[in-house]
Amino acid sequence: MQIRDYIIRRLLVLPVLIIGTSIIVFALTRIGGSPIGIYLSHEMNPAEVQEMKERFHLDKPVPVQYFYWIKGVTQGDLGWSGVASAPVVDVFPKKFAATMELAIAAGIVAVSLGIALGTFAGARRNKLADHIIRVVSVGGASMPLFWFAILLLIIFWVWLGWFPIGRSDPNLFEAIAHPTGFYTIDALLAGNFAAFRDAIWHLIMPAVALGYGATAIIARMMRSSLIEELQEDYVDAAKAKGLAERVVLKKHARRNALIPTVTVIGLTFGFLLQGTVVAEIIFRWPGLGRWMASAVLRGDQATIMTYVMFTSILFLIVNLVVDIIYANLDRRVVLGE
Amino acid sequence: MRNLIIITQTILLGVFLAVGAQAQTVKNPGILVHAADDEATTLDPAQVEAGEGGETVILQVYDRLLEFGPSGPELVPGLASVVPTIDNGMISDDGMTYTFKIREGVVFHDGTDLTAEDVKFSWDRIVDMDLPEGQSGVIADIVSDSKVIDDYTFQVTLLEPSASFLNSTVVSMAASIVSQDAVMANGGVVEGEPNQYMAQNVAGTGPYKLKAWNRGENILLDINENYWGENAKLAARIEIGAEPDVRVLGLRAGNYDTIETDPSFVADIEGADGVTLHTGGLLLEPIHVGFNLNIPEGSLPKEDTIPTDFFHDPRVRQAFNYAFDYDAFLYGPLAGFGQFNPHYLPIGIFGHDADAPVYGAQDKAKAEALFRDAGYWDKGFSVSVITEESNLFADAALVLKDSMEALNPNFRINVLAVAEAVFDEAHAQNPIEYAMWVKNADPFADPHPYMSAYQHPDGEWGEVHGFSNGYRNPEKIAELIDGASIELDVEKRAAMYAELQRLLFDDPMWLITAQEGVTMAYRSWVKGFEMNPLWPRPSLRFVYLDK
């Protein structure tokens, strides 16, 4: 099958898969009970509850509720978030951008520090620096995120007052437009250096807290890979040619050691996204993780549905892209069979 | 090693200098930073629920015709320039008609002028929208008619004389005055449908204007420079949703000026440098165990062995009241901040009779005698109590469990601590499929809503909970509650509530665990701190504060 035909076929199947997924997700959330509770207060009487059910079509049978929901989705209405007190469609992009910004910042911390520390330690095997970095790495891998985050909070927010919590200085945040939802990028686009500095300042503590665990994993991987590479014959050959130690390390051994490390880096991004829930709660970061945790605890089904559908669709698309890339990379892969 | 010691010493010195310096320096000058517990669900007075986070904001950004002053239940003029009385002729002799002189020269945040038309529009709007989550009954249940006499005179006629009209209806957040122009330009008034614009924006005359509402993060309030009264000294920022521990840390660090807390955090705050703990006063939201006298057959959890008419017997309800370990609740979860007040009119509310009998102390002997008398002592029972998880209500349920199971090993109390949404849905059923629940009541400034909503046999909740099945004399209780609501003679009215308290002591429909004490912590640099439990939680009007 031609790759073009394969893509068309997969794209045609995609809506069917999405609708199927939506039916399953909708049914599963409803199995947990009616979502009406999130819209109620404990002083509402039965007549008022009935009115609320009618407003959200929750007085109808579940298949009819699904129809109303899917109709709303096609019109850009993802429902009302009881946790955020706003339409889901208004809140979701902002929260998603906030979480991605934090995860990417934590990723930058983890990758830059992890590779640097791993290289430094690997090149100085069994010396003091190596021991210290190994201890720091073990600490990062074994220290619970919530504990490390609270430690940072107490030292740098409460005691020293060096770093703020939350995402922004509200006055600076309100002073610029937010076309991308990424505060750092929006600040740069607006040419507002004070807002950019504010964005970075607010990112540091949660990004370090979140990135530390991943730093440890990357550093340990980098160290062990580098040590292996440094024992290879080509390193001896390079040294015998008269290349400087630094050149051998940077141009040859580190480059090869990065190959398995990069695989680990890819995997740690998932770890970082998971960790955002804890980091967001402790540092009051207004992202998807904190919102979703509240939504799950309080039964905010409109929010949960949106999140699950979003990740499902993302997964379907990524799968499609990966299949196509595989086919391009390895012609032995037979499309559509 | 020497270098390491020098570096360590430098860091520690820096820490101590920084901590010392921050304790003395006012942080966030010009802005009051308040760390709140809840997110608002709406900013629309026609939609807001009593006691909900939105009322905190509505109090600051809207005005009402009258307000509670800072130091107690006395009424002070708001958008009405005079408090109506019979003496000044603004309440008719029969108590049916109230006239309000509207303050002239008041401008809404949208720039339009306030007139009596806006006042009538605001009150009519709530009744016309009649939202289930709102408080339309605050006006609809008491007002027969309202009219505009002239641009600055508004007149209200009641359905019947009311002793509580001024201090429960007029001051209610639901009765806040909105700009007619702003509402009509943004969705207007539709019966049964919330106004999305008003839910997320503000169209008031209050001392603060809404600058921004960042969901789950903060609400920013700017000073209204055109306010008709004395301008606020500080802008305000309400930080939303910080964990309780983070709020305490933020206060100690000076990053927050005021925080919402409960007594369980007092130990973390007491004695902190630069922090003042305000513990005067009592909240007006009795935490109580409710008894269900309207249990449908076969609806109780399978662990429950009680008959459906279990609580019809006043001896059983009394026995529960005697069995509860009030000390354990007051000195445990409430950390001693509160009062033994197992009564239906909280301390501080008109009509509360300090001499009326109260349960107040555990009396195991009386509890045993009553359970024996009712026939449950030897055979025992198992009953479930539903409550929200992880709060004082759950603590009260656990104290009940400990009290009852320690009293008699044949008694079993199953505490069902569930998510708030699950509890709200369960409690909103009619009939309720649980025999007991723990929650608090809404706060009111007048005794009538406490009695009519919660204790009247035919009231909003009395009917759902089947109180007429259990009162020894339901007609007498109904007669007293109804009579007290229209009795304008203060002494006679107080006597009626005193009699009601005695009747309800003999015939309890609740087990009131305690009256929770006010605990509010703020930075000592905050000046003009005034707290009134009659204002919506956290009972602060930012306009009075400075630093």
Side-chain angles (χ1 to χ4, degrees), chain B residues 389-422:
Chain B
E389 61 191 351
S390 308
N391 59 17
L392 284 172
F393 308 156
D395 293 335
L398 291 171
V399 171
L400 177 70
K401 177 183 175 68
D402 289 347
S403 306
M404 296 295 290
E405 294 179 358
L407 181 69
N408 184 340
N410 295 327
F411 294 168
R412 175 74 55 208
I413 305 290
N414 310 306
V415 176
L416 306 175
V418 297
E420 185 182 356
V422 176

Side-chain angles (χ1 to χ4, degrees), chain A residues 80-100:
Chain A
W80 183 265
S81 167
V83 168
S85 307
V88 174
V89 73
D90 288 354
V91 182
F92 193 88
K94 294 174 189 167
K95 302 279 186 192
F96 177 70
T99 291
M100 289 308 291

Side-chain angles (χ1 to χ4, degrees), chain B residues 195-240:
Chain B
N195 180 313
Q196 296 298 341
Y197 175 84
M198 290 296 287
Q200 302 178 52
N201 295 277
V202 166
T205 57
Y208 284 98
K209 297 195 283 190
L210 178 70
K211 182 179 181 186
W213 179 5
N214 299 306
R215 299 298 192 291
E217 198 176 0
N218 51 46
I219 294 177
L220 310 180
L221 303 178
D222 271 347
I223 296 170
N224 176 10
E225 301 290 355
N226 297 318
Y227 188 52
W228 56 267
E230 191 179 337
N231 278 1
K233 292 116 187 150
L234 303 170
R237 185 168 87 226
I238 302 173
E239 295 283 353
I240 301 162

Side-chain angles (χ1 to χ4, degrees), chain B residues 128-193:
Chain B
D128 292 344
M129 289 174 77
D130 192 22
L131 297 174
E133 65 270 49
Q135 304 171 58
S136 61
V138 163
I139 292 171
D141 293 349
I142 200 164
V143 173
S144 160
D145 183 40
S146 66
K147 59 185 172 188
V148 172
I149 304 296
D150 60 44
D151 275 357
Y152 296 102
T153 310
F154 175 62
Q155 196 170 75
V156 177
T157 306
L158 306 186
L159 289 163
E160 58 185 1
S162 169
S164 62
F165 173 63
L166 291 181
N167 54 12
S168 62
T169 297
V170 179
V171 296
S172 157
M173 295 303 109
S176 298
I177 307 306
V178 304
S179 160
Q180 180 172 358
D181 289 350
V183 174
M184 295 315 290
N186 294 284
V189 179
V190 182
E191 184 187 346
E193 278 188 28

Side-chain angles (χ1 to χ4, degrees), chain A residues 1-21:
Chain A
M1 186 187 290
Q2 289 293 317
I3 195 159
R4 187 195 63 195
D5 296 340
Y6 177 74
I7 292 171
I8 291 170
R9 204 174 96 182
R10 286 292 297 268
L11 286 175
L12 287 173
V13 173
L14 199 61
V16 180
L17 288 172
I18 290 172
I19 291 171
T21 308

Side-chain angles (χ1 to χ4, degrees), chain A residues 34 36-38 40-46 48-49 51-52 55 80 83-86 95 153-154 157-160 165 167-168 170-171 174 281-282 284 286 290 297-298, chain B residues 15 19 22 40-41 49 131-133 194 196 211-212 214-218 220 237 239-240 242 249-250 253 255-256 419 421 424-425 427-428 430 439-440 442 454 460-461:
Chain A
S34 165
I36 189 64
I38 189 73
L40 306 181
S41 75
H42 62 233
E43 289 301 319
M44 277 192 187
N45 62 39
E48 290 165 341
V49 173
E51 281 184 56
M52 294 299 279
R55 182 189 298 170
W80 183 265
V83 168
S85 307
K95 302 279 186 192
L153 188 88
I154 290 173
W157 183 57
V158 179
W159 289 1
L160 299 174
I165 63 169
R167 192 187 181 198
S168 61
N171 291 323
E174 290 299 319
I281 288 171
I282 291 173
R284 289 193 63 248
R290 194 169 130 214
L297 290 172
R298 294 178 55 191
Chain B
V15 169
V19 174
Q22 75 176 22
T41 58
E49 297 165 17
L131 297 174
E133 65 270 49
Q196 296 298 341
K211 182 179 181 186
N214 299 306
R215 299 298 192 291
E217 198 176 0
N218 51 46
L220 310 180
R237 185 168 87 226
E239 295 283 353
I240 301 162
L249 287 172
N255 294 314
Y256 300 145
D424 288 346
E425 192 180 358
H427 186 263
N430 183 14
K439 60 188 270 294
N440 61 355
D442 276 347
Y454 295 117
E460 183 181 0
W461 290 109

Side-chain angles (χ1 to χ4, degrees), chain A residues 45 50 74 146 193 195 234 292 308 314:
Chain A
N45 62 39
Q50 184 59 28
T74 58
F146 76 89
F193 183 71
Y234 75 86
M292 211 48 56
V308 175
L314 199 65

